[in-house]
Amino acid sequence: MGLGLVLGLIGGVLLAHAAYATIQYRGMLKIMEEEFSGPPLNVVVELLLGFGLCMWTGLAFPGKFHSIHPDSEENRIVSLPSNLDFMIFNHRGKALPSNSELKLKI
């Protein structure tokens, strides 16, 4: 997990620096009274490198997956809370038409 965290942080810092460099570049162009046609090539390369590192980190180091099978021993017991005061059944959804009214006309 250490390598993934470091690469993810480096990718995030590269993305933030690319955004900061673009803002500085646009400010410099406003001072020189020139049109902004796009960021410089080094900012684009930095942006792509940061994006690639963040994507690779997100895909290569996802963490531990949990089982979705109901009979799995890894699943914890899910039950209703003992305090039912916050369970609300009277909401805006009752204004929507029920499933029996939603029929296609052919």
Side-chain angles (χ1 to χ4, degrees):
M1 187 70 179
L3 177 66
L5 179 65
V6 170
L7 290 177
L9 287 175
I10 290 172
V13 167
L14 284 175
L15 289 175
H17 185 266
Y20 180 72
T22 304
I23 291 170
Q24 274 190 331
Y25 180 70
R26 288 191 71 181
M28 184 182 69
L29 288 178
K30 284 183 182 179
I31 291 172
M32 294 175 18
E33 296 178 354
E34 294 181 14
E35 278 295 313
F36 178 75
S37 61
L41 183 62
N42 62 345
V43 173
V44 173
V45 169
E46 186 177 359
L47 178 69
L48 292 175
L49 183 63
F51 179 72
L53 280 175
C54 286
M55 286 296 292
W56 184 74
T57 301
L59 294 174
F61 299 99
K64 183 182 180 207
F65 289 110
H66 297 285
S67 175
I68 61 170
H69 299 294
D71 298 332
S72 175
E73 296 173 3
E74 296 176 1
N75 289 346
R76 59 185 177 170
I77 298 174
V78 178
S79 62
L80 290 175
S82 60
N83 185 0
L84 299 178
D85 291 339
F86 293 106
M87 295 184 77
I88 299 172
F89 296 103
N90 188 13
H91 51 79
R92 287 183 237 154
K94 68 180 180 181
L96 297 174
S98 65
N99 289 339
S100 62
E101 297 173 6
L102 295 175
K103 292 185 180 177
L104 294 175
K105 295 180 181 178
I106 300 177

